[in-house]
Amino acid sequence: MNPEIGQRIKEARQKAGLTQEQLGEAIGKSRVALVRWEAGADFSTDLLDSLSEKLNVAPEWIMFGDRREAVGVSDEVINLIENARKLVSATVGFNVTDIQAIEWIATKAGVRNALFGEDEGNDQTGEAIAS
């Protein structure tokens, strides 16, 4: 996971006035899981919606922060990605394959690198994404 995601989780948790234990209980995870996430360890993105709801922040903010404004990503592209995320999470939950599908959409829109902070054209494992 991008360590910036962990920092945003921690920042939002503190602003919400929650301890790691309280937030963990609210989303069905242990305090240890929160410690790991905030330190930059991978977390299951299928918890993104409940995490963002408990922290009162947008899921996109947890994942991307304010980078989209800094690089000039259009609202249309962000809406496309958000709609894809909602569709995926509504049908099967969030897993690595789902994230790769969203990354593929972002790649086609030409904003994958700006949103995911990785080399454009590679998935999370560094493998080339098929066009």
Side-chain angles (χ1 to χ4, degrees):
M1 177 171 80
N2 182 333
E4 293 173 357
I5 294 172
Q7 288 292 73
R8 286 190 289 273
I9 292 171
K10 181 177 182 176
E11 177 185 332
R13 177 185 58 77
Q14 290 173 335
K15 283 184 181 178
L18 297 171
T19 66
Q20 292 168 329
E21 187 171 348
Q22 290 168 328
L23 179 57
E25 286 177 13
I27 63 171
K29 290 293 178 180
S30 68
R31 183 190 67 77
V32 173
L34 267 288
V35 169
R36 291 181 43 76
W37 297 347
E38 290 179 4
D42 288 337
F43 77 104
S44 176
T45 54
D46 62 331
L47 297 171
L48 191 57
D49 287 330
S50 61
L51 183 63
S52 64
E53 181 181 319
K54 298 298 180 196
L55 296 175
N56 198 29
V57 297
E60 297 77 27
W61 181 82
I62 292 173
M63 295 301 295
F64 312 124
D66 295 327
R67 286 192 320 204
R68 67 180 196 214
E69 288 90 20
V71 296
V73 176
S74 72
D75 288 339
E76 181 179 321
V77 171
I78 297 300
N79 288 337
L80 175 66
I81 292 169
E82 171 60 11
N83 288 337
R85 185 191 63 76
K86 285 179 182 176
L87 177 63
V88 167
S89 66
T91 57
V92 294
F94 236 60
N95 62 39
V96 172
T97 303
D98 302 331
I99 293 169
Q100 289 172 339
I102 293 170
E103 288 179 330
W104 181 84
I105 292 168
T107 299
K108 289 297 184 182
V111 297
R112 182 179 184 280
N113 190 40
L115 294 178
F116 290 90
E118 300 171 1
D119 293 333
E120 199 161 324
N122 292 330
D123 69 14
Q124 292 178 344
T125 63
E127 298 293 322
I129 296 175
S131 299

